[in-house]
Amino acid sequence: PPTWVQQTPDLKTRAYTVQVGMWTGQIPETEVVWFRHPDPASPYGRGTGIVQALGDELEIDEYAAKMLKTRFYSGARADFTISPKLREGEDPISPEEVKRLKEGWLQDHEGFAKASRPYFSSLPIEVNVVSQTFAELQMLELRRQERDTILQVYGGLPPEWMGIIENSNRATIDSADYLAMKQVVVPRLEFQRSVLQQQLVPQFDPRLVLDYENPVAEDRAYHLEVMRSMPEVVTVNEWRAQAGLPEMDDDTGDNHILRLGIEIKPTLEESEEPDYAGEAVIGGGRVPAPNPPGGDVPSPSQLGVR
């Protein structure tokens, strides 16, 4: 992991300085495969990562989550204030009276079972509600914006992959795997393949070529549309394979299903000579064009055939 590497090789020390817990040591550079993303600002430096480009967005989302946690955990804010109304010239009530008013209020209204109870007092009381909702802070909109930015920077990761299906339907959900594999997984696989091809494969055999299985699934809807456009060129077994069925044991599976009025003609072999005998279209009319006995077969241009 990059967090273990304290120092990369330089001109003096051709080794990686690694620290794992309380252990610190050096590993020769020949024993480490470095998956490095160059930093445009320092191309010969250690490199950079995608998370470094998202440093501010990740911190904003983290601090917003901490603020929401603090809001529920401690609050440090009263939902309302209660104060007796004083007439002009009257002295404030004593601390003992404030305490007695507080105890009476909590005794009659604290707890969900005592909600909506009326409160009776011999003193005129003023209640001021202190409102500060999440909607006013736009906390949800802020976190949603940071989430979308992080997904976009990570290579256009489909939101369905992260369980975000607010604006999704069956078509977008089915396309999510295709887009994620093509736009996110394959570029990262190709990056790892190129690094291993350059640094690891030559140690075994320079003639070897490292490859990976393409995770992008075939577009079955496209193949089905092509097969529907000309079904007579597809065998019965190929239709069964498209439907996920096993091949037929007999030779019936190699047959073609022809539509009415459709005929499939075999391709002319190279050893066969074309026969121009029969009718030929010349000047808009049909005239017989027999092959001359004992001679070469004339070409269409010699017969004036178009």
mmCIF file of all heavy atoms in Angstrom, residues 98-137:
data_model
loop_
_atom_site.group_PDB
_atom_site.id
_atom_site.type_symbol
_atom_site.label_atom_id
_atom_site.label_comp_id
_atom_site.label_asym_id
_atom_site.label_seq_id
_atom_site.Cartn_x
_atom_site.Cartn_y
_atom_site.Cartn_z
ATOM 1 N N VAL A 98 -37.699 30.677 38.848
ATOM 2 C CA VAL A 98 -37.304 30.109 37.550
ATOM 3 C C VAL A 98 -37.130 28.608 37.662
ATOM 4 O O VAL A 98 -37.573 27.840 36.786
ATOM 5 C CB VAL A 98 -36.008 30.779 37.051
ATOM 6 C CG1 VAL A 98 -35.486 30.081 35.791
ATOM 7 C CG2 VAL A 98 -36.228 32.248 36.767
ATOM 8 N N LYS A 99 -36.515 28.142 38.747
ATOM 9 C CA LYS A 99 -36.320 26.716 38.954
ATOM 10 C C LYS A 99 -37.649 25.993 39.093
ATOM 11 O O LYS A 99 -37.856 24.907 38.536
ATOM 12 C CB LYS A 99 -35.450 26.494 40.190
ATOM 13 C CG LYS A 99 -35.143 25.034 40.458
ATOM 14 C CD LYS A 99 -34.227 24.901 41.680
ATOM 15 C CE LYS A 99 -33.928 23.434 41.947
ATOM 16 N NZ LYS A 99 -33.044 23.287 43.136
ATOM 17 N N ARG A 100 -38.588 26.629 39.874
ATOM 18 C CA ARG A 100 -39.886 26.010 40.053
ATOM 19 C C ARG A 100 -40.658 25.959 38.732
ATOM 20 O O ARG A 100 -41.343 24.971 38.418
ATOM 21 C CB ARG A 100 -40.672 26.792 41.100
ATOM 22 C CG ARG A 100 -42.008 26.139 41.447
ATOM 23 C CD ARG A 100 -42.654 26.799 42.649
ATOM 24 N NE ARG A 100 -42.949 28.209 42.407
ATOM 25 C CZ ARG A 100 -42.259 29.207 42.975
ATOM 26 N NH1 ARG A 100 -41.237 28.948 43.782
ATOM 27 N NH2 ARG A 100 -42.580 30.471 42.734
ATOM 28 N N LEU A 101 -40.521 26.997 37.905
ATOM 29 C CA LEU A 101 -41.175 27.015 36.593
ATOM 30 C C LEU A 101 -40.595 25.940 35.683
ATOM 31 O O LEU A 101 -41.337 25.243 34.960
ATOM 32 C CB LEU A 101 -41.010 28.399 35.950
ATOM 33 C CG LEU A 101 -41.607 28.594 34.556
ATOM 34 C CD1 LEU A 101 -43.115 28.425 34.582
ATOM 35 C CD2 LEU A 101 -41.242 29.974 34.006
ATOM 36 N N LYS A 102 -39.288 25.754 35.723
ATOM 37 C CA LYS A 102 -38.624 24.733 34.905
ATOM 38 C C LYS A 102 -39.071 23.333 35.319
ATOM 39 O O LYS A 102 -39.402 22.498 34.472
ATOM 40 C CB LYS A 102 -37.106 24.877 35.037
ATOM 41 C CG LYS A 102 -36.323 23.770 34.345
ATOM 42 C CD LYS A 102 -34.826 23.944 34.578
ATOM 43 C CE LYS A 102 -34.061 22.783 33.955
ATOM 44 N NZ LYS A 102 -32.597 22.917 34.199
ATOM 45 N N GLU A 103 -39.078 23.085 36.637
ATOM 46 C CA GLU A 103 -39.463 21.761 37.105
ATOM 47 C C GLU A 103 -40.913 21.451 36.739
ATOM 48 O O GLU A 103 -41.255 20.327 36.360
ATOM 49 C CB GLU A 103 -39.257 21.672 38.611
ATOM 50 C CG GLU A 103 -37.786 21.692 39.021
ATOM 51 C CD GLU A 103 -37.615 21.701 40.530
ATOM 52 O OE1 GLU A 103 -38.656 21.853 41.230
ATOM 53 O OE2 GLU A 103 -36.473 21.568 41.018
ATOM 54 N N GLY A 104 -41.774 22.431 36.867
ATOM 55 C CA GLY A 104 -43.170 22.208 36.510
ATOM 56 C C GLY A 104 -43.354 21.938 35.028
ATOM 57 O O GLY A 104 -44.156 21.081 34.633
ATOM 58 N N TRP A 105 -42.603 22.660 34.188
ATOM 59 C CA TRP A 105 -42.703 22.449 32.735
ATOM 60 C C TRP A 105 -42.216 21.043 32.342
ATOM 61 O O TRP A 105 -42.878 20.330 31.585
ATOM 62 C CB TRP A 105 -41.884 23.518 32.012
ATOM 63 C CG TRP A 105 -42.008 23.456 30.494
ATOM 64 C CD1 TRP A 105 -41.400 22.580 29.666
ATOM 65 C CD2 TRP A 105 -42.815 24.279 29.672
ATOM 66 N NE1 TRP A 105 -41.749 22.806 28.361
ATOM 67 C CE2 TRP A 105 -42.629 23.865 28.340
ATOM 68 C CE3 TRP A 105 -43.674 25.358 29.944
ATOM 69 C CZ2 TRP A 105 -43.267 24.474 27.276
ATOM 70 C CZ3 TRP A 105 -44.296 25.977 28.873
ATOM 71 C CH2 TRP A 105 -44.098 25.518 27.557
ATOM 72 N N LEU A 106 -41.053 20.638 32.855
ATOM 73 C CA LEU A 106 -40.516 19.322 32.517
ATOM 74 C C LEU A 106 -41.385 18.202 33.072
ATOM 75 O O LEU A 106 -41.544 17.149 32.439
ATOM 76 C CB LEU A 106 -39.083 19.194 33.055
ATOM 77 C CG LEU A 106 -38.042 20.128 32.429
ATOM 78 C CD1 LEU A 106 -36.681 19.919 33.089
ATOM 79 C CD2 LEU A 106 -37.947 19.916 30.931
ATOM 80 N N GLN A 107 -41.944 18.401 34.253
ATOM 81 C CA GLN A 107 -42.775 17.370 34.854
ATOM 82 C C GLN A 107 -44.044 17.125 34.030
ATOM 83 O O GLN A 107 -44.522 15.993 33.931
ATOM 84 C CB GLN A 107 -43.137 17.764 36.282
ATOM 85 C CG GLN A 107 -43.945 16.700 37.031
ATOM 86 C CD GLN A 107 -44.224 17.118 38.464
ATOM 87 O OE1 GLN A 107 -43.806 18.199 38.899
ATOM 88 N NE2 GLN A 107 -44.926 16.273 39.208
ATOM 89 N N ASP A 108 -44.571 18.186 33.453
ATOM 90 C CA ASP A 108 -45.821 18.047 32.706
ATOM 91 C C ASP A 108 -45.616 17.710 31.237
ATOM 92 O O ASP A 108 -46.544 17.183 30.598
ATOM 93 C CB ASP A 108 -46.620 19.349 32.813
ATOM 94 C CG ASP A 108 -47.131 19.585 34.223
ATOM 95 O OD1 ASP A 108 -47.160 18.609 35.009
ATOM 96 O OD2 ASP A 108 -47.476 20.736 34.537
ATOM 97 N N HIS A 109 -44.404 17.946 30.662
ATOM 98 C CA HIS A 109 -44.262 17.834 29.209
ATOM 99 C C HIS A 109 -43.074 16.993 28.752
ATOM 100 O O HIS A 109 -42.950 16.712 27.563
ATOM 101 C CB HIS A 109 -44.116 19.238 28.586
ATOM 102 C CG HIS A 109 -45.335 20.078 28.752
ATOM 103 N ND1 HIS A 109 -46.420 20.001 27.920
ATOM 104 C CD2 HIS A 109 -45.645 21.014 29.689
ATOM 105 C CE1 HIS A 109 -47.355 20.869 28.311
ATOM 106 N NE2 HIS A 109 -46.901 21.487 29.392
ATOM 107 N N GLU A 110 -42.192 16.572 29.651
ATOM 108 C CA GLU A 110 -41.030 15.813 29.209
ATOM 109 C C GLU A 110 -41.437 14.379 28.869
ATOM 110 O O GLU A 110 -42.140 13.712 29.636
ATOM 111 C CB GLU A 110 -39.953 15.809 30.294
ATOM 112 C CG GLU A 110 -38.641 15.201 29.825
ATOM 113 C CD GLU A 110 -37.558 15.318 30.886
ATOM 114 O OE1 GLU A 110 -37.902 15.482 32.078
ATOM 115 O OE2 GLU A 110 -36.369 15.262 30.534
ATOM 116 N N GLY A 111 -41.000 13.905 27.706
ATOM 117 C CA GLY A 111 -41.324 12.552 27.259
ATOM 118 C C GLY A 111 -42.420 12.558 26.210
ATOM 119 O O GLY A 111 -43.296 13.438 26.194
ATOM 120 N N PHE A 112 -42.367 11.557 25.314
ATOM 121 C CA PHE A 112 -43.333 11.514 24.216
ATOM 122 C C PHE A 112 -44.752 11.227 24.691
ATOM 123 O O PHE A 112 -45.728 11.594 24.045
ATOM 124 C CB PHE A 112 -42.913 10.444 23.192
ATOM 125 C CG PHE A 112 -43.033 9.033 23.697
ATOM 126 C CD1 PHE A 112 -44.188 8.296 23.481
ATOM 127 C CD2 PHE A 112 -41.996 8.437 24.392
ATOM 128 C CE1 PHE A 112 -44.302 7.006 23.947
ATOM 129 C CE2 PHE A 112 -42.106 7.146 24.856
ATOM 130 C CZ PHE A 112 -43.260 6.413 24.645
ATOM 131 N N ALA A 113 -44.878 10.554 25.845
ATOM 132 C CA ALA A 113 -46.216 10.238 26.334
ATOM 133 C C ALA A 113 -46.957 11.472 26.841
ATOM 134 O O ALA A 113 -48.182 11.445 27.000
ATOM 135 C CB ALA A 113 -46.130 9.188 27.445
ATOM 136 N N LYS A 114 -46.233 12.564 27.108
ATOM 137 C CA LYS A 114 -46.848 13.783 27.634
ATOM 138 C C LYS A 114 -46.923 14.884 26.584
ATOM 139 O O LYS A 114 -47.117 16.064 26.925
ATOM 140 C CB LYS A 114 -46.071 14.283 28.851
ATOM 141 C CG LYS A 114 -45.984 13.267 29.987
ATOM 142 C CD LYS A 114 -45.145 13.801 31.128
ATOM 143 C CE LYS A 114 -45.030 12.757 32.248
ATOM 144 N NZ LYS A 114 -44.199 13.264 33.377
ATOM 145 N N ALA A 115 -46.753 14.510 25.324
ATOM 146 C CA ALA A 115 -46.777 15.518 24.270
ATOM 147 C C ALA A 115 -48.180 16.093 24.122
ATOM 148 O O ALA A 115 -49.191 15.429 24.408
ATOM 149 C CB ALA A 115 -46.318 14.891 22.950
ATOM 150 N N SER A 116 -48.229 17.338 23.688
ATOM 151 C CA SER A 116 -49.482 18.069 23.387
ATOM 152 C C SER A 116 -50.320 18.343 24.632
ATOM 153 O O SER A 116 -51.518 18.645 24.534
ATOM 154 C CB SER A 116 -50.324 17.285 22.366
ATOM 155 O OG SER A 116 -49.586 17.065 21.182
ATOM 156 N N ARG A 117 -49.725 18.253 25.813
ATOM 157 C CA ARG A 117 -50.470 18.608 27.026
ATOM 158 C C ARG A 117 -50.509 20.130 27.180
ATOM 159 O O ARG A 117 -49.538 20.815 26.889
ATOM 160 C CB ARG A 117 -49.808 17.998 28.262
ATOM 161 C CG ARG A 117 -50.102 16.524 28.478
ATOM 162 C CD ARG A 117 -49.539 16.090 29.817
ATOM 163 N NE ARG A 117 -49.887 14.705 30.118
ATOM 164 C CZ ARG A 117 -49.575 14.110 31.263
ATOM 165 N NH1 ARG A 117 -48.906 14.777 32.202
ATOM 166 N NH2 ARG A 117 -49.928 12.855 31.478
ATOM 167 N N PRO A 118 -51.601 20.661 27.669
ATOM 168 C CA PRO A 118 -51.631 22.119 27.932
ATOM 169 C C PRO A 118 -50.845 22.457 29.200
ATOM 170 O O PRO A 118 -50.656 21.603 30.079
ATOM 171 C CB PRO A 118 -53.122 22.406 28.104
ATOM 172 C CG PRO A 118 -53.704 21.110 28.581
ATOM 173 C CD PRO A 118 -52.900 20.023 27.914
ATOM 174 N N TYR A 119 -50.404 23.695 29.281
ATOM 175 C CA TYR A 119 -49.643 24.149 30.450
ATOM 176 C C TYR A 119 -50.341 25.380 31.006
ATOM 177 O O TYR A 119 -50.632 26.339 30.275
ATOM 178 C CB TYR A 119 -48.210 24.485 30.066
ATOM 179 C CG TYR A 119 -47.356 24.907 31.243
ATOM 180 C CD1 TYR A 119 -46.851 23.959 32.121
ATOM 181 C CD2 TYR A 119 -47.072 26.250 31.467
ATOM 182 C CE1 TYR A 119 -46.085 24.335 33.202
ATOM 183 C CE2 TYR A 119 -46.310 26.636 32.545
ATOM 184 C CZ TYR A 119 -45.809 25.673 33.420
ATOM 185 O OH TYR A 119 -45.040 26.053 34.492
ATOM 186 N N PHE A 120 -50.601 25.350 32.295
ATOM 187 C CA PHE A 120 -51.307 26.446 32.960
ATOM 188 C C PHE A 120 -50.334 27.137 33.907
ATOM 189 O O PHE A 120 -49.579 26.481 34.631
ATOM 190 C CB PHE A 120 -52.514 25.917 33.733
ATOM 191 C CG PHE A 120 -53.524 25.226 32.852
ATOM 192 C CD1 PHE A 120 -53.452 23.855 32.652
ATOM 193 C CD2 PHE A 120 -54.519 25.951 32.216
ATOM 194 C CE1 PHE A 120 -54.367 23.219 31.840
ATOM 195 C CE2 PHE A 120 -55.443 25.304 31.403
ATOM 196 C CZ PHE A 120 -55.373 23.943 31.203
ATOM 197 N N SER A 121 -50.345 28.440 33.890
ATOM 198 C CA SER A 121 -49.428 29.202 34.735
ATOM 199 C C SER A 121 -50.133 30.472 35.194
ATOM 200 O O SER A 121 -50.968 31.044 34.484
ATOM 201 C CB SER A 121 -48.150 29.555 33.968
ATOM 202 O OG SER A 121 -47.331 30.413 34.728
ATOM 203 N N SER A 122 -49.794 30.904 36.417
ATOM 204 C CA SER A 122 -50.343 32.152 36.945
ATOM 205 C C SER A 122 -49.606 33.365 36.414
ATOM 206 O O SER A 122 -50.051 34.500 36.630
ATOM 207 C CB SER A 122 -50.285 32.126 38.483
ATOM 208 O OG SER A 122 -48.928 31.970 38.915
ATOM 209 N N LEU A 123 -48.472 33.135 35.730
ATOM 210 C CA LEU A 123 -47.675 34.218 35.165
ATOM 211 C C LEU A 123 -47.832 34.234 33.650
ATOM 212 O O LEU A 123 -47.955 33.186 33.021
ATOM 213 C CB LEU A 123 -46.193 34.039 35.517
ATOM 214 C CG LEU A 123 -45.820 34.081 36.993
ATOM 215 C CD1 LEU A 123 -44.338 33.761 37.168
ATOM 216 C CD2 LEU A 123 -46.131 35.460 37.580
ATOM 217 N N PRO A 124 -47.842 35.400 33.053
ATOM 218 C CA PRO A 124 -47.805 35.452 31.577
ATOM 219 C C PRO A 124 -46.445 34.958 31.076
ATOM 220 O O PRO A 124 -45.397 35.427 31.545
ATOM 221 C CB PRO A 124 -48.031 36.930 31.267
ATOM 222 C CG PRO A 124 -47.655 37.657 32.501
ATOM 223 C CD PRO A 124 -47.917 36.732 33.656
ATOM 224 N N ILE A 125 -46.461 33.978 30.169
ATOM 225 C CA ILE A 125 -45.234 33.320 29.700
ATOM 226 C C ILE A 125 -45.096 33.546 28.197
ATOM 227 O O ILE A 125 -46.077 33.478 27.452
ATOM 228 C CB ILE A 125 -45.240 31.814 30.028
ATOM 229 C CG1 ILE A 125 -45.264 31.605 31.543
ATOM 230 C CG2 ILE A 125 -44.023 31.111 29.414
ATOM 231 C CD1 ILE A 125 -45.336 30.158 31.945
ATOM 232 N N GLU A 126 -43.870 33.802 27.786
ATOM 233 C CA GLU A 126 -43.553 33.964 26.364
ATOM 234 C C GLU A 126 -42.637 32.809 25.931
ATOM 235 O O GLU A 126 -41.612 32.556 26.551
ATOM 236 C CB GLU A 126 -42.857 35.297 26.113
ATOM 237 C CG GLU A 126 -42.512 35.544 24.656
ATOM 238 C CD GLU A 126 -41.819 36.881 24.449
ATOM 239 O OE1 GLU A 126 -41.533 37.549 25.465
ATOM 240 O OE2 GLU A 126 -41.562 37.239 23.288
ATOM 241 N N VAL A 127 -43.029 32.071 24.857
ATOM 242 C CA VAL A 127 -42.260 30.943 24.332
ATOM 243 C C VAL A 127 -41.727 31.326 22.959
ATOM 244 O O VAL A 127 -42.496 31.657 22.044
ATOM 245 C CB VAL A 127 -43.123 29.671 24.231
ATOM 246 C CG1 VAL A 127 -42.304 28.523 23.649
ATOM 247 C CG2 VAL A 127 -43.680 29.301 25.601
ATOM 248 N N ASN A 128 -40.417 31.295 22.798
ATOM 249 C CA ASN A 128 -39.757 31.621 21.532
ATOM 250 C C ASN A 128 -39.137 30.345 20.962
ATOM 251 O O ASN A 128 -38.271 29.729 21.593
ATOM 252 C CB ASN A 128 -38.667 32.685 21.726
ATOM 253 C CG ASN A 128 -39.243 33.998 22.236
ATOM 254 O OD1 ASN A 128 -40.282 34.437 21.752
ATOM 255 N ND2 ASN A 128 -38.577 34.599 23.219
ATOM 256 N N VAL A 129 -39.578 29.950 19.781
ATOM 257 C CA VAL A 129 -39.071 28.749 19.122
ATOM 258 C C VAL A 129 -37.806 29.098 18.343
ATOM 259 O O VAL A 129 -37.780 30.055 17.556
ATOM 260 C CB VAL A 129 -40.129 28.139 18.178
ATOM 261 C CG1 VAL A 129 -39.567 26.896 17.485
ATOM 262 C CG2 VAL A 129 -41.393 27.794 18.962
ATOM 263 N N VAL A 130 -36.760 28.315 18.573
ATOM 264 C CA VAL A 130 -35.485 28.487 17.867
ATOM 265 C C VAL A 130 -35.459 27.448 16.744
ATOM 266 O O VAL A 130 -35.303 26.249 17.000
ATOM 267 C CB VAL A 130 -34.284 28.315 18.806
ATOM 268 C CG1 VAL A 130 -32.980 28.519 18.036
ATOM 269 C CG2 VAL A 130 -34.383 29.287 19.976
ATOM 270 N N SER A 131 -35.615 27.896 15.517
ATOM 271 C CA SER A 131 -35.692 26.961 14.374
ATOM 272 C C SER A 131 -34.385 26.987 13.594
ATOM 273 O O SER A 131 -33.853 28.046 13.271
ATOM 274 C CB SER A 131 -36.853 27.342 13.451
ATOM 275 O OG SER A 131 -36.643 28.621 12.895
ATOM 276 N N GLN A 132 -33.872 25.815 13.340
ATOM 277 C CA GLN A 132 -32.696 25.642 12.490
ATOM 278 C C GLN A 132 -32.759 24.234 11.926
ATOM 279 O O GLN A 132 -32.322 23.271 12.540
ATOM 280 C CB GLN A 132 -31.400 25.837 13.276
ATOM 281 C CG GLN A 132 -30.158 25.813 12.386
ATOM 282 C CD GLN A 132 -28.887 26.018 13.175
ATOM 283 O OE1 GLN A 132 -28.887 25.925 14.385
ATOM 284 N NE2 GLN A 132 -27.813 26.294 12.485
ATOM 285 N N THR A 133 -33.345 24.090 10.762
ATOM 286 C CA THR A 133 -33.560 22.778 10.165
ATOM 287 C C THR A 133 -32.456 22.446 9.171
ATOM 288 O O THR A 133 -31.694 23.320 8.728
ATOM 289 C CB THR A 133 -34.922 22.733 9.457
ATOM 290 O OG1 THR A 133 -34.916 23.687 8.375
ATOM 291 C CG2 THR A 133 -36.046 23.077 10.419
ATOM 292 N N PHE A 134 -32.401 21.160 8.765
ATOM 293 C CA PHE A 134 -31.433 20.733 7.775
ATOM 294 C C PHE A 134 -31.729 21.358 6.413
ATOM 295 O O PHE A 134 -30.828 21.572 5.609
ATOM 296 C CB PHE A 134 -31.429 19.213 7.659
ATOM 297 C CG PHE A 134 -30.950 18.530 8.908
ATOM 298 C CD1 PHE A 134 -31.490 17.328 9.317
ATOM 299 C CD2 PHE A 134 -29.970 19.108 9.691
ATOM 300 C CE1 PHE A 134 -31.047 16.704 10.462
ATOM 301 C CE2 PHE A 134 -29.520 18.495 10.837
ATOM 302 C CZ PHE A 134 -30.063 17.289 11.232
ATOM 303 N N ALA A 135 -33.013 21.652 6.171
ATOM 304 C CA ALA A 135 -33.364 22.285 4.902
ATOM 305 C C ALA A 135 -32.763 23.680 4.806
ATOM 306 O O ALA A 135 -32.311 24.111 3.741
ATOM 307 C CB ALA A 135 -34.874 22.343 4.738
ATOM 308 N N GLU A 136 -32.748 24.406 5.919
ATOM 309 C CA GLU A 136 -32.151 25.742 5.911
ATOM 310 C C GLU A 136 -30.641 25.664 5.706
ATOM 311 O O GLU A 136 -30.044 26.526 5.063
ATOM 312 C CB GLU A 136 -32.476 26.448 7.224
ATOM 313 C CG GLU A 136 -33.965 26.726 7.414
ATOM 314 C CD GLU A 136 -34.256 27.283 8.782
ATOM 315 O OE1 GLU A 136 -33.323 27.307 9.626
ATOM 316 O OE2 GLU A 136 -35.400 27.710 9.028
ATOM 317 N N LEU A 137 -30.013 24.669 6.257
ATOM 318 C CA LEU A 137 -28.571 24.509 6.067
ATOM 319 C C LEU A 137 -28.214 23.942 4.700
ATOM 320 O O LEU A 137 -27.043 23.960 4.312
ATOM 321 C CB LEU A 137 -28.008 23.581 7.158
ATOM 322 C CG LEU A 137 -28.120 24.074 8.600
ATOM 323 C CD1 LEU A 137 -27.632 22.997 9.549
ATOM 324 C CD2 LEU A 137 -27.328 25.363 8.785
#
